[in-house]
Amino acid sequence: MSLKEILHKQSLYFIVYFYGIRKSFKKKMKSLLESISQPQEIQNFNLRELTQLAQECRQRIIEVTSKCGGHLASSLGAVEITVALLKHFDFSIDRLVWDVGHQGYAYKILTGRNENFDTLGKCGGIKKFLSRDESSYDHFGAGHASTSISAALGMAIGRDLQQKKHRVVSVIGDGALTGGLAFEALNHNGSLDKNMLVIYNDNGISIDPNVGAISKLLTRFASSQFYNRFREETLDFAEKAPFSERLGLKTTLQKMHDSAKSFFSPPSMLFEQLGWRYFGTIDGHNLQELLDIIKQVKNLDGPIVIHAITQKGKGYAFAEEDAYKYHGVTPFEPLDGKFKKKKTSGQAISYSQVFGNKLGELMERDESVVVLTAAMLSGTGIVNLQPKFPDRVLDVGIAEGHAVTCSAGLATTGNKPFVAIYSTFLQRALDHIIHDVAVQQLPVRFMLDRAGFVGADGPTHHGMFDLTYLRMIPNMTIMVPRNGAELRCMIEFAYNHETGPLAIRYPRGNTAELDENKIPPLEFGKAQILRKGQNVVLFAVGTMVEKAEQVADLLEKQGVYASVINARFVKPLDEDLIVNLGRDAKLLVSLEENTIHGGFGSGVLEILSKNRICIPTLQIGAPDRFIPQGSPEEQLNEAELNVEQIYGRVLEKLPEVVKKIRKKRTMDQKKRAS
């Protein structure tokens, strides 16, 4: 029997047990998980109870994510770490910072949110990430990676300034240690020497594990009270001895300690050189081992790292076998791991796939085309290109700034770099875009996936600011497609663009229109007139173009005839068209799925002001607040961006025009009647 078949069989046994036994079990007695009213109660559990609690957490995570979607594999891999931390710390007093929150579902379940965990990712429900406004146990919120050590260090500094004694813990993993911010924080506290504990949840990314009996023996020894007392006393003696400075005794002893440790545990060299005490590696799924090491080191002074080896997807065979596939999941069938298919119209595919397919064609055609992404091969639609072009499809890890500056270097060599990053993540590289790309007018092509509202991931992941932060940058060209076919045309345009940086932003979701031949040719800085009218101009970009056409249909029923313009370019805008239409229209409306401040609509107003055109205007876009999680439709409603809401807002701006039109229509009807 193959490993895959064994894992599958074990998974089925587990799920059948879970779904078959759980109902009768609940009738007889409460599970351990359901019996917990406060997380502090976990501190009284013995090893057998803690093991059972970990199993119940896994069951609950699988149960809920199979219905609601969410981050499955990472949370399954961090269950024992969560249970061990709650056994040894009181996080109503102590502080815990999770990196991103991909790993935090067990923590949510065990800190008072189990009963409502079925609402994960839904409007008004439990959030997919840690959030300070959701629970007092969420001490720091984050949707972007590599922030936990830095935030925890800030908490440790604040604690010491206030002369308090609580402990501060950070859990970092899931590739977050590839981000530069994490190393900046490690370096900083290497010199500050603040008391804090970092759990490095190593699920196979970044640093190679050093496993085996010698490593485990060293870890037990290095964390023991005997060794640490011996270490501190010898160093203290060396510091006080009158002959110490002349002989360099303390330095010699310190080097002996460090060298012995580094010899047996190579990963420790990185942390030890940055000034952190390193303990590892340990089995991150062995509760006894975790409990022992945390108990030994939690009261040690200075910066401490525990290096725990874990497996993403632990306890669910399908996620263990393919953790990448089951990292962020849509609803699936627990028994066979198959994802439930969404209903799509016709041959619709995602915008990410459109980009991946078109880029693949360019890479076949031209060996100078290179694509870089920041740990988002699958999410940006290019994962299937890596086997074909391993030297030209580059994943730099969670390091967006490096991706941008590296692409700038590539552009200087005559290659054609594309940078594929989610809109929300590219925000982290703003200085690199300005300083390393735009100032030098380098032809780097930015592909901004997930622009606009993204649904259940919530405000940390909405791509609401890219038109604003990119539009202010000199030498930058910005394009926004209305559908997949136009996206393909824009990618071709970007491939041929050599006079500076260019960005294309497109939404999360599907598109059915893919035929480039149906798209009128793109002309630099020129918009497309979709229909002409006398009263209103609806100047729309991207996803709002279709809504503008629907609003125009509703207006026409009121006798109001609207021009509909597909902007295509946000920078440069089609100034001639805006001026010509603005001189005659009764109202000019801009529509965008971007923050209302500084984006597409602001650019339209700037052109009207520059040309001294005084006309009623209406800017429609995302309001000046963060829109919470929910479905994209719910978020559009919250932002007042659905068709009926836009139509109502336009009518409110046209009372006199509508009144005149209706009066004229009534008079015409009377004439015909007579």
Side-chain angles (χ1 to χ4, degrees), residues 58 72-82 85 96-106 148-149 169-178 197-209 271 278-286 290 304-314 327 398:
R58 279 202 171 85
L72 176 62
S74 299
S75 284
L76 291 178
V79 170
E80 283 82 10
I81 289 174
T82 305
L85 287 172
L96 175 62
V97 183
W98 291 91
D99 217 279
V100 184
H102 290 161
Q103 314 162 85
Y105 287 3
S148 62
I149 303 175
V169 182
S170 161
V171 181
I172 187 166
D174 213 23
L177 206 57
T178 61
L197 171 63
V198 168
I199 307 290
Y200 173 35
N201 177 20
D202 183 356
N203 48 31
I205 303 172
S206 300
I207 299 175
D208 293 330
F271 296 103
Y278 172 89
F279 300 92
T281 57
I282 66 168
D283 182 351
H285 300 301
N286 185 323
L290 277 168
I304 306 293
V305 172
I306 294 176
H307 186 173
I309 304 299
T310 61
Q311 180 179 14
K312 288 187 73 170
K314 180 70 173 177
H327 169 74
I398 303 175

Side-chain angles (χ1 to χ4, degrees), residues 37 88 147 252 291 305-306 374 376 384 388 415 429 503 578 586 623:
S37 59
H88 282 304
T147 62
T252 301
L291 292 167
V305 172
I306 294 176
M376 286 291 169
N384 293 329
K388 296 180 183 178
N415 283 284
I578 292 171
K586 302 290 190 296

Side-chain angles (χ1 to χ4, degrees), residues 41-59:
E41 295 169 18
I42 297 170
Q43 295 177 7
N44 299 319
F45 285 9
N46 59 35
L47 181 61
R48 180 187 58 79
E49 291 169 325
L50 292 172
T51 302
Q52 180 183 332
L53 185 65
Q55 182 181 358
E56 291 179 14
C57 283
R58 279 202 171 85
Q59 293 172 352

Side-chain angles (χ1 to χ4, degrees), residues 411-436:
T412 67
T413 68
N415 283 284
K416 292 178 176 285
F418 285 76
V419 180
I421 296 179
Y422 289 6
S423 169
T424 183
F425 296 144
L426 193 63
Q427 294 163 188
R428 314 182 90 187
L430 179 58
D431 178 63
H432 301 264
I433 298 170
I434 296 172
H435 182 273
D436 301 328

Side-chain angles (χ1 to χ4, degrees), residues 52 54 104 152 174 183 250 275 410 423 434 449 519 522 557 610:
Q52 180 183 332
D174 213 23
F183 288 95
K250 183 177 181 181
L410 263 169
S423 169
I434 296 172
D449 205 320
I519 303 300
L522 289 165
K557 293 176 182 178
K610 172 187 170 183

Side-chain angles (χ1 to χ4, degrees), residues 3 16 74 76 87 167 278 383 439 457 522 553 574 596 623 648:
L3 177 61
V16 168
S74 299
L76 291 178
K87 168 69 174 177
R167 278 78 62 96
Y278 172 89
V383 67
V439 169
D457 283 345
L522 289 165
D553 291 338
D574 192 338
I596 199 72

Side-chain angles (χ1 to χ4, degrees), residues 61 131 217 241 262 313 370 403 406 422 524 569 583 603 606 614 630 667:
I61 291 168
S131 177
L217 177 63
S262 297
V370 183
C406 184
Y422 289 6
F524 185 75
F569 287 82
R583 283 181 175 143
E606 288 163 12
C614 190
M667 291 176 62

